[in-house]
Short mmCIF file of all heavy atoms in Angstrom, two decimals:
data_model
loop_
_atom_site.label_atom_id
_atom_site.label_comp_id
_atom_site.label_asym_id
_atom_site.label_seq_id
_atom_site.Cartn_x
_atom_site.Cartn_y
_atom_site.Cartn_z
N ARG A 46 79.80 99.44 114.05
CA ARG A 46 79.51 98.85 115.27
C ARG A 46 80.72 98.00 115.72
O ARG A 46 81.24 97.32 114.88
CB ARG A 46 78.31 98.04 115.01
CG ARG A 46 77.75 97.31 116.31
CD ARG A 46 76.55 96.45 116.01
NE ARG A 46 76.03 95.85 117.14
CZ ARG A 46 75.05 94.88 116.97
NH1 ARG A 46 74.49 94.60 115.91
NH2 ARG A 46 74.67 94.25 118.15
N ILE A 47 81.03 98.25 116.99
CA ILE A 47 82.06 97.33 117.57
C ILE A 47 81.47 96.53 118.76
O ILE A 47 80.78 97.16 119.65
CB ILE A 47 83.18 98.18 118.19
CG1 ILE A 47 83.85 98.99 117.03
CG2 ILE A 47 84.24 97.35 118.86
CD1 ILE A 47 84.92 100.04 117.54
N VAL A 48 81.64 95.22 118.63
CA VAL A 48 81.04 94.32 119.56
C VAL A 48 82.17 93.54 120.15
O VAL A 48 83.16 93.12 119.55
CB VAL A 48 80.04 93.27 118.90
CG1 VAL A 48 79.51 92.28 119.96
CG2 VAL A 48 78.91 94.06 118.27
N SER A 49 82.25 93.43 121.54
CA SER A 49 83.37 92.83 122.21
C SER A 49 82.96 91.68 123.12
O SER A 49 81.82 91.76 123.77
CB SER A 49 84.20 93.89 122.94
OG SER A 49 83.36 94.64 123.88
N TRP A 50 83.96 90.82 123.34
CA TRP A 50 83.87 89.83 124.35
C TRP A 50 85.15 89.77 125.11
O TRP A 50 86.19 89.31 124.57
CB TRP A 50 83.78 88.39 123.74
CG TRP A 50 82.43 88.16 123.03
CD1 TRP A 50 81.29 87.44 123.50
CD2 TRP A 50 81.96 88.55 121.66
NE1 TRP A 50 80.32 87.34 122.55
CE2 TRP A 50 80.77 88.06 121.46
CE3 TRP A 50 82.64 89.20 120.71
CZ2 TRP A 50 79.95 88.28 120.33
CZ3 TRP A 50 81.95 89.51 119.49
CH2 TRP A 50 80.67 89.00 119.27
N GLY A 51 85.21 90.58 126.06
CA GLY A 51 86.55 90.91 126.83
C GLY A 51 87.35 91.65 125.93
O GLY A 51 87.07 92.70 125.35
N SER A 52 88.54 91.12 125.63
CA SER A 52 89.59 91.83 124.74
C SER A 52 89.33 91.50 123.28
O SER A 52 90.20 91.88 122.43
CB SER A 52 90.97 91.62 125.23
OG SER A 52 91.38 90.28 124.82
N LEU A 53 88.43 90.57 122.91
CA LEU A 53 88.18 90.23 121.60
C LEU A 53 87.11 91.18 121.02
O LEU A 53 85.95 91.24 121.54
CB LEU A 53 87.62 88.78 121.46
CG LEU A 53 87.31 88.27 120.03
CD1 LEU A 53 88.53 88.33 119.03
CD2 LEU A 53 86.67 86.97 120.08
N GLN A 54 87.53 92.03 120.05
CA GLN A 54 86.56 93.08 119.57
C GLN A 54 86.44 92.91 118.05
O GLN A 54 87.37 92.78 117.26
CB GLN A 54 87.17 94.46 119.80
CG GLN A 54 87.31 94.77 121.31
CD GLN A 54 87.71 96.09 121.63
OE1 GLN A 54 88.42 96.72 120.87
NE2 GLN A 54 87.53 96.53 122.85
N LEU A 55 85.12 92.83 117.58
CA LEU A 55 84.83 92.61 116.25
C LEU A 55 84.29 93.91 115.71
O LEU A 55 83.44 94.62 116.39
CB LEU A 55 83.84 91.53 116.03
CG LEU A 55 84.36 90.14 115.97
CD1 LEU A 55 85.09 89.65 117.27
CD2 LEU A 55 83.27 89.14 115.63
N THR A 56 84.61 94.38 114.51
CA THR A 56 84.17 95.58 113.95
C THR A 56 83.36 95.23 112.70
O THR A 56 83.66 94.56 111.87
CB THR A 56 85.38 96.50 113.57
OG1 THR A 56 86.29 96.67 114.60
CG2 THR A 56 84.87 97.90 113.09
N PHE A 57 82.22 96.06 112.71
CA PHE A 57 81.24 95.71 111.57
C PHE A 57 80.93 97.12 110.96
O PHE A 57 80.92 98.11 111.73
CB PHE A 57 79.84 95.25 112.17
CG PHE A 57 80.06 94.05 112.89
CD1 PHE A 57 80.21 93.95 114.24
CD2 PHE A 57 79.94 92.75 112.26
CE1 PHE A 57 80.38 92.74 114.95
CE2 PHE A 57 80.05 91.58 112.89
CZ PHE A 57 80.23 91.56 114.29
N GLY A 58 80.69 97.29 109.74
CA GLY A 58 80.38 98.55 109.11
C GLY A 58 79.76 98.26 107.66
O GLY A 58 79.55 97.12 107.27
N ASP A 59 79.44 99.36 106.95
CA ASP A 59 78.79 99.20 105.69
C ASP A 59 79.80 99.46 104.53
O ASP A 59 79.52 99.36 103.43
CB ASP A 59 77.65 100.16 105.62
CG ASP A 59 77.91 101.61 105.75
OD1 ASP A 59 79.01 102.02 106.18
OD2 ASP A 59 77.09 102.42 105.45
N VAL A 60 81.04 99.80 104.99
CA VAL A 60 82.09 100.10 103.95
C VAL A 60 83.42 99.61 104.53
O VAL A 60 83.82 99.99 105.62
CB VAL A 60 82.29 101.59 103.60
CG1 VAL A 60 83.43 101.81 102.65
CG2 VAL A 60 80.99 102.17 102.92
N SER A 61 84.12 98.85 103.76
CA SER A 61 85.40 98.35 104.14
C SER A 61 86.19 97.91 102.89
O SER A 61 85.63 97.96 101.76
CB SER A 61 85.48 97.13 105.08
OG SER A 61 85.06 95.96 104.48
N LYS A 62 87.43 97.49 103.01
CA LYS A 62 88.14 97.08 101.76
C LYS A 62 87.71 95.67 101.37
O LYS A 62 87.98 95.28 100.19
CB LYS A 62 89.69 97.11 102.07
CG LYS A 62 90.12 95.97 102.96
CD LYS A 62 91.66 96.00 103.10
CE LYS A 62 92.16 94.86 103.89
NZ LYS A 62 93.56 94.83 103.88
N VAL A 63 86.93 94.96 102.15
CA VAL A 63 86.33 93.76 101.66
C VAL A 63 84.98 93.73 101.11
O VAL A 63 84.55 92.80 100.36
CB VAL A 63 86.44 92.64 102.85
CG1 VAL A 63 87.79 92.38 103.34
CG2 VAL A 63 85.49 93.05 104.08
N LEU A 64 84.16 94.84 101.32
CA LEU A 64 82.79 94.84 100.89
C LEU A 64 82.27 96.25 101.13
O LEU A 64 82.70 96.88 102.12
CB LEU A 64 81.94 93.89 101.64
CG LEU A 64 80.52 93.70 101.18
CD1 LEU A 64 80.39 93.09 99.76
CD2 LEU A 64 79.72 92.89 102.17
N GLN A 65 81.32 96.66 100.19
CA GLN A 65 80.79 98.04 100.39
C GLN A 65 79.25 97.74 100.16
O GLN A 65 78.82 96.86 99.41
CB GLN A 65 81.25 99.03 99.46
CG GLN A 65 82.61 99.36 99.69
CD GLN A 65 83.25 100.48 98.79
OE1 GLN A 65 82.51 101.20 98.17
NE2 GLN A 65 84.53 100.63 98.84
N GLY A 66 78.47 98.63 100.81
CA GLY A 66 76.95 98.65 100.42
C GLY A 66 76.08 97.87 101.35
O GLY A 66 74.79 98.07 101.34
N ARG A 67 76.63 97.09 102.29
CA ARG A 67 75.74 96.46 103.31
C ARG A 67 76.61 96.25 104.59
O ARG A 67 77.78 96.21 104.54
CB ARG A 67 75.09 95.07 102.82
CG ARG A 67 76.17 93.99 102.59
CD ARG A 67 75.39 92.57 102.47
NE ARG A 67 76.26 91.49 102.19
CZ ARG A 67 77.07 90.94 103.21
NH1 ARG A 67 76.95 91.16 104.45
NH2 ARG A 67 77.81 89.89 102.78
N ARG A 68 75.94 96.09 105.63
CA ARG A 68 76.49 95.87 106.92
C ARG A 68 77.24 94.46 106.94
O ARG A 68 76.61 93.51 106.47
CB ARG A 68 75.60 95.80 108.07
CG ARG A 68 74.93 97.17 108.33
CD ARG A 68 73.79 97.07 109.31
NE ARG A 68 73.38 98.37 109.81
CZ ARG A 68 72.32 98.54 110.61
NH1 ARG A 68 71.80 97.52 111.21
NH2 ARG A 68 71.91 99.84 110.93
N HIS A 69 78.46 94.54 107.49
CA HIS A 69 79.33 93.24 107.45
C HIS A 69 80.41 93.21 108.39
O HIS A 69 80.81 94.30 108.92
CB HIS A 69 79.86 92.93 106.01
CG HIS A 69 80.85 94.09 105.53
ND1 HIS A 69 80.31 95.26 105.05
CD2 HIS A 69 82.21 94.13 105.52
CE1 HIS A 69 81.41 96.09 104.82
NE2 HIS A 69 82.44 95.37 105.06
N PHE A 70 80.96 92.15 108.77
CA PHE A 70 82.03 91.95 109.68
C PHE A 70 83.28 92.17 108.88
O PHE A 70 83.54 91.63 107.69
CB PHE A 70 82.06 90.53 110.20
CG PHE A 70 83.34 89.97 110.89
CD1 PHE A 70 83.97 90.77 111.84
CD2 PHE A 70 83.75 88.78 110.69
CE1 PHE A 70 85.12 90.34 112.51
CE2 PHE A 70 84.84 88.18 111.36
CZ PHE A 70 85.46 89.00 112.27
N PHE A 71 84.25 93.02 109.39
CA PHE A 71 85.46 93.28 108.48
C PHE A 71 86.83 93.29 109.19
O PHE A 71 87.91 93.41 108.65
CB PHE A 71 85.30 94.46 107.60
CG PHE A 71 85.32 95.80 108.22
CD1 PHE A 71 86.51 96.38 108.66
CD2 PHE A 71 84.11 96.37 108.59
CE1 PHE A 71 86.45 97.69 109.34
CE2 PHE A 71 84.04 97.61 109.24
CZ PHE A 71 85.24 98.27 109.58
N SER A 72 86.77 93.25 110.58
CA SER A 72 87.99 93.38 111.34
C SER A 72 87.81 92.75 112.76
O SER A 72 86.73 92.84 113.31
CB SER A 72 88.41 94.83 111.43
OG SER A 72 89.55 95.05 112.15
N PHE A 73 88.98 92.32 113.33
CA PHE A 73 88.89 92.04 114.79
C PHE A 73 90.23 92.39 115.28
O PHE A 73 91.25 92.56 114.78
CB PHE A 73 88.65 90.52 115.00
CG PHE A 73 89.80 89.63 114.51
CD1 PHE A 73 90.99 89.30 115.34
CD2 PHE A 73 89.76 89.02 113.28
CE1 PHE A 73 92.01 88.55 114.92
CE2 PHE A 73 90.86 88.13 112.79
CZ PHE A 73 91.92 87.94 113.63
N THR A 74 90.18 92.64 116.70
CA THR A 74 91.45 92.83 117.47
C THR A 74 91.23 91.81 118.64
O THR A 74 90.10 91.58 119.17
CB THR A 74 91.67 94.18 118.02
OG1 THR A 74 90.57 94.60 118.87
CG2 THR A 74 91.84 95.18 116.90
N TYR A 75 92.40 91.15 119.18
CA TYR A 75 92.33 90.24 120.12
C TYR A 75 93.42 90.60 121.09
O TYR A 75 94.60 90.52 120.72
CB TYR A 75 92.34 88.84 119.69
CG TYR A 75 92.57 87.82 120.80
CD1 TYR A 75 91.62 87.82 121.88
CD2 TYR A 75 93.43 86.84 120.82
CE1 TYR A 75 91.73 86.86 122.92
CE2 TYR A 75 93.55 85.87 121.77
CZ TYR A 75 92.69 85.87 122.80
OH TYR A 75 92.78 84.91 123.72
N GLY A 76 93.23 91.00 122.33
CA GLY A 76 94.19 91.34 123.27
C GLY A 76 94.20 92.93 123.62
O GLY A 76 94.06 93.68 122.60
N GLN A 77 94.39 93.30 124.75
CA GLN A 77 94.42 94.75 125.10
C GLN A 77 95.79 94.80 125.86
O GLN A 77 96.13 94.04 126.68
CB GLN A 77 93.41 95.29 125.95
CG GLN A 77 92.02 95.31 125.20
CD GLN A 77 90.87 95.76 126.05
OE1 GLN A 77 90.96 95.93 127.17
NE2 GLN A 77 89.75 95.94 125.26
N TYR A 78 96.46 95.87 125.62
CA TYR A 78 97.81 96.20 126.25
C TYR A 78 97.83 97.64 126.66
O TYR A 78 97.22 98.54 126.13
CB TYR A 78 98.99 95.85 125.30
CG TYR A 78 99.01 96.58 123.97
CD1 TYR A 78 99.62 97.88 124.03
CD2 TYR A 78 98.32 96.20 122.87
CE1 TYR A 78 99.66 98.64 122.84
CE2 TYR A 78 98.43 96.99 121.74
CZ TYR A 78 99.06 98.13 121.74
OH TYR A 78 99.02 98.94 120.54
N SER A 79 98.85 97.91 127.54
CA SER A 79 99.15 99.27 127.86
C SER A 79 100.56 99.52 127.35
O SER A 79 101.35 98.54 127.21
CB SER A 79 99.08 99.43 129.48
OG SER A 79 100.10 98.62 130.02
N TYR A 80 100.82 100.79 126.99
CA TYR A 80 102.19 101.12 126.43
C TYR A 80 102.54 102.49 126.92
O TYR A 80 101.74 103.36 126.73
CB TYR A 80 102.09 101.01 124.89
CG TYR A 80 103.48 101.38 124.24
CD1 TYR A 80 104.53 100.51 124.44
CD2 TYR A 80 103.55 102.59 123.39
CE1 TYR A 80 105.68 100.99 123.74
CE2 TYR A 80 104.76 102.82 122.77
CZ TYR A 80 105.84 102.03 123.07
OH TYR A 80 107.01 102.35 122.40
N ASP A 81 103.67 102.61 127.56
CA ASP A 81 104.18 103.83 128.12
C ASP A 81 105.22 104.56 127.33
O ASP A 81 105.85 105.49 127.77
CB ASP A 81 104.64 103.61 129.57
CG ASP A 81 105.82 102.67 129.67
OD1 ASP A 81 106.44 102.34 128.56
OD2 ASP A 81 106.16 102.43 130.82
#
Protein backbone atom coordinates (compact mmCIF):
# COMPACT_ATOMS: atom_id res chain seq x y z
CA ARG A 1 0.00 0.00 0.00
CA ILE A 2 1.29 3.47 -0.89
CA VAL A 3 -0.26 6.44 0.90
CA SER A 4 0.69 9.98 -0.09
CA TRP A 5 0.39 13.54 1.11
CA GLY A 6 1.47 15.51 -1.95
CA SER A 7 5.03 14.42 -2.72
CA LEU A 8 5.47 12.62 0.63
CA GLN A 9 4.76 8.95 -0.05
CA LEU A 10 4.82 6.20 2.55
CA THR A 11 5.07 2.53 1.58
CA PHE A 12 3.53 -0.24 3.67
CA GLY A 13 3.74 -3.98 3.10
CA ASP A 14 3.89 -7.37 4.75
CA VAL A 15 7.52 -8.12 3.79
CA SER A 16 10.55 -5.81 3.91
CA LYS A 17 14.13 -5.84 5.13
CA VAL A 18 12.92 -4.47 8.49
CA LEU A 19 10.07 -6.90 9.21
CA GLN A 20 8.16 -9.86 7.76
CA GLY A 21 4.81 -11.43 8.49
CA ARG A 22 2.62 -8.40 9.25
CA ARG A 23 1.63 -5.14 7.61
CA HIS A 24 4.06 -2.35 8.47
CA PHE A 25 5.58 0.98 7.39
CA PHE A 26 8.96 0.46 5.76
CA SER A 27 9.80 3.27 3.33
CA PHE A 28 9.17 6.89 2.38
CA THR A 29 9.99 9.20 -0.50
CA TYR A 30 9.73 12.97 -0.23
CA GLY A 31 9.81 15.17 -3.31
CA GLN A 32 8.93 14.54 -6.94
CA TYR A 33 11.14 15.57 -9.83
CA SER A 34 11.30 15.35 -13.58
CA TYR A 35 14.43 14.11 -15.34
CA ASP A 36 15.11 14.32 -19.07
